[in-house]
Amino acid sequence: MDRFEKAFQQYQNQEKSNLQATNQAGEQIIAVRKNDEGDLIAFKTDSGRELDYIEALTEAKAGHLAHVDVFHKYGRDILRSEPDGIKENNLDSLPEF
């Protein structure tokens, strides 16, 4: 393995440990609200808080929501579940409130 691959592996491991520490400390999203088109528009946390989409994005960026990621696509920030291969805990699969 050359030094570039080694440096990239260190970067990936550091990022994974930072994400795990951040995401495990926050509230979990346990339910969602969708509009008529099926888009997620609100989220309910395990503490009972109800967040609109913008509030949820802000909370996720600050590391206050567990097991979610924010990524930039289509010119805007998008909230999604951490990719873990479990369909049942995807935001779109959570119960509605």
Side-chain angles (χ1 to χ4, degrees), residues 7-52:
F8 186 70
Q9 280 186 341
Q10 283 181 302
Y11 161 76
Q12 284 183 315
N13 292 336
Q14 180 182 25
E15 186 67 19
K16 287 177 187 174
S17 65
N18 288 343
L19 280 174
Q20 288 173 348
T22 299
N23 286 334
Q24 291 178 2
E27 294 176 80
Q28 291 189 27
I29 294 174
I30 60 166
V32 298
R33 181 167 294 162
K34 299 178 183 180
N35 64 13
D36 292 338
E37 287 82 40
D39 299 318
L40 300 172
I41 60 169
F43 307 89
K44 186 173 187 175
T45 70
D46 57 355
S47 71
R49 293 192 312 142
E50 295 179 0
L51 307 171
D52 64 37

Side-chain angles (χ1 to χ4, degrees), residues 1-96:
M1 172 182 333
D2 68 18
R3 71 180 181 97
F4 300 112
E5 289 174 355
K6 186 175 181 177
F8 186 70
Q9 280 186 341
Q10 283 181 302
Y11 161 76
Q12 284 183 315
N13 292 336
Q14 180 182 25
E15 186 67 19
K16 287 177 187 174
S17 65
N18 288 343
L19 280 174
Q20 288 173 348
T22 299
N23 286 334
Q24 291 178 2
E27 294 176 80
Q28 291 189 27
I29 294 174
I30 60 166
V32 298
R33 181 167 294 162
K34 299 178 183 180
N35 64 13
D36 292 338
E37 287 82 40
D39 299 318
L40 300 172
I41 60 169
F43 307 89
K44 186 173 187 175
T45 70
D46 57 355
S47 71
R49 293 192 312 142
E50 295 179 0
L51 307 171
D52 64 37
Y53 202 91
I54 295 171
E55 290 170 330
L57 281 172
T58 302
E59 295 276 336
K61 287 179 187 177
H64 299 151
L65 295 177
H67 311 295
V68 294
D69 292 328
V70 177
F71 68 102
H72 196 76
K73 192 172 182 179
Y74 310 118
R76 64 180 184 256
D77 288 334
I78 297 173
L79 190 67
R80 73 170 190 177
S81 303
E82 286 181 335
D84 61 4
I86 303 170
K87 184 177 179 181
E88 293 78 25
N89 69 3
N90 291 345
L91 293 176
D92 202 41
S93 297
L94 293 176
E96 294 191 44

